Amino acid sequence: MWAIILGAAIGASPAAAQEARTGAPLAGAPPVPQLRPAPSAGPRGISREEAARRAALGTVAGEVAPPVDPRLAKSRFAAVTGPTAAPARALGRYGLGCLAGAVELPAEGPNHSSMRLSRGRRWGHPVTLAFITDLAAAAAASGLNGILVGDMSQARGGPMLFGHSSHQVGLDVDIWFAPRPATVLTSEARETMPFQSVLNGDGSDVDPARFTPVVAALVRQAAADRRVARVFVHPHIKRAMCAMTWPDRSFLSRVRPWYGHDEHFHVRLACPADSPDCVPQAPPPPDDGCGDALAYWYTPAPYTPDPSAKPKPPLTVDRMPLVCRQLLAMPDRAEAYAVAPVPTGQETPVPPSPQ
């Protein structure tokens, strides 16, 4: 049924086929935020646009999410707090899709802690939760105290009010570079603990005291996982990993440089076998990506706005894939609310701070 519905909505268009091959957005989809520093800055510093993005993600005290507009798809999907019934299915594209039968990552596990719980973004496809569990165990085995898990997807996927253009089908997860504390985090700490960049003070390179070989090996562990399609990191991180000696460099093709991503790495899992209506991106080029593809990020080109680009209209619900519109109308899965209380690390929970 999913295949018939989604095929009618997005599967037959030439633009959809183009996106599947190249990762380019479908015509009429919401614009991908261009987090571009000024041409003179390059990847060395943080631009005003990047500072604004981090502010929206809660890294600047006092910042709040944008106002809710009920006409917009992002407002509608953000307002739904419960998932639909199983089976789990990733539907559509990473940047224009939704998620059926989502599963919620526990706030605290043996080797992971979930952050920014108030956002309601710790939902995913079961393959994503399994990957997180495995990566967290690998981190613990390597001498790290597990991992801090940032944004995943909303209860029904779809676009978010702020912070991401992808994360819509339950197959994206942000892993923080900040070390996981030895004690259980309080509710307040989960909301206010700052991100930690692994760049040096002037943003000209990685800081070897923070981007250690053990942390680099964790990124490699993620990229080498057969379930993973891509891992997005700051260009300086990609450059640092290219300079390291690895017994097998094939994983480097899946480590992709992108704007920002110096305080977390973004893991994108491949479409799982149980989700035939999930639209994959084309595989990355087969080389290690340490040549011309990386050199491009050290030119003005990625940071120079296109003067001919025209703003696209906001994505409204009626322009979402049909299956995603139907997903919004489905009842919540009742048992989704029978979950253990969130560990607070203290006797009295502290209300979350504004985002």
Side-chain angles (χ1 to χ4, degrees):
M1 180 182 73
W2 296 119
I4 295 173
I5 294 174
L6 195 64
I10 65 172
S13 72
Q18 177 186 359
E19 196 281 338
R21 293 192 303 271
T22 67
L26 177 67
V32 177
Q34 298 300 303
L35 310 176
R36 299 173 184 263
S40 60
R44 294 174 60 86
I46 297 175
S47 68
R48 288 189 298 272
E49 291 86 351
E50 176 63 8
R53 183 188 74 87
R54 294 188 182 187
L57 288 172
T59 58
V60 177
E63 292 291 338
V64 296
V68 173
D69 183 342
R71 298 169 299 176
L72 302 181
K74 64 182 181 181
S75 297
R76 292 284 298 279
F77 275 92
V80 179
T81 58
T84 61
R89 294 288 185 269
L91 301 162
R93 301 199 303 280
Y94 298 98
L96 185 63
C98 53
L99 173 64
V103 182
E104 188 173 33
L105 182 72
E108 192 76 12
N111 301 306
H112 86 270
S113 298
S114 298
M115 307 300 288
R116 306 298 195 257
L117 305 186
S118 64
R119 297 179 183 175
R121 297 178 179 179
R122 54 189 170 106
W123 299 89
H125 187 283
V127 72
T128 306
L129 273 70
F131 165 80
I132 293 169
T133 299
D134 294 344
L135 184 68
S142 71
L144 299 172
N145 185 41
I147 58 175
L148 296 177
V149 181
D151 286 353
M152 297 168 59
S153 295
Q154 298 173 138
R156 303 195 188 187
M160 299 178 177
L161 286 175
F162 62 93
H164 304 285
S165 60
S166 59
H167 288 253
Q168 295 195 28
V169 296
L171 298 173
D172 293 285
V173 56
D174 291 341
I175 308 297
W176 287 24
F177 283 123
R180 184 185 183 220
T183 57
V184 175
L185 292 165
T186 65
S187 296
E188 181 181 30
R190 292 178 196 271
E191 301 297 327
T192 60
M193 179 177 168
F195 293 114
Q196 177 178 289
S197 174
V198 295
L199 302 188
N200 59 16
D202 64 3
S204 62
D205 206 344
V206 298
D207 179 349
R210 291 183 172 179
F211 192 70
T212 64
V214 175
V215 174
L218 184 66
V219 178
R220 184 212 64 83
Q221 177 79 22
D225 192 297
R226 60 180 177 80
R227 296 166 289 191
V228 170
R230 281 169 168 75
V231 175
F232 298 102
V233 298
H234 190 280
H236 291 341
I237 295 174
K238 171 72 175 186
R239 183 175 66 179
M241 296 191 71
C242 286
M244 295 176 178
T245 300
W246 304 98
D248 178 3
R249 295 176 65 86
S250 61
F251 77 92
L252 283 168
S253 67
R254 291 186 291 281
V255 179
R256 312 304 297 174
W258 196 247
Y259 307 97
H261 292 86
D262 58 294
E263 77 291 274
H264 73 275
F265 60 99
H266 172 176
V267 180
R268 172 166 294 167
L269 281 78
C271 291
D274 66 7
S275 299
D277 300 310
C278 174
V279 181
Q281 284 184 270
D287 63 2
D288 62 13
C290 296
D292 291 344
L294 178 58
Y296 167 78
W297 289 90
Y298 292 88
T299 71
Y303 314 103
T304 304
D306 181 358
S308 65
K310 296 181 180 179
K312 295 179 180 177
L315 180 64
T316 53
V317 173
D318 62 347
R319 291 170 51 225
M320 288 292 290
L322 175 58
V323 67
C324 296
R325 284 180 268 151
Q326 293 178 327
L327 208 66
L328 280 174
M330 292 180 180
D332 289 352
R333 186 175 71 225
E335 67 269 20
Y337 299 102
V339 296
V342 174
T344 65
Q346 59 186 25
E347 291 287 333
T348 305
V350 176
S353 62
Q355 292 303 301

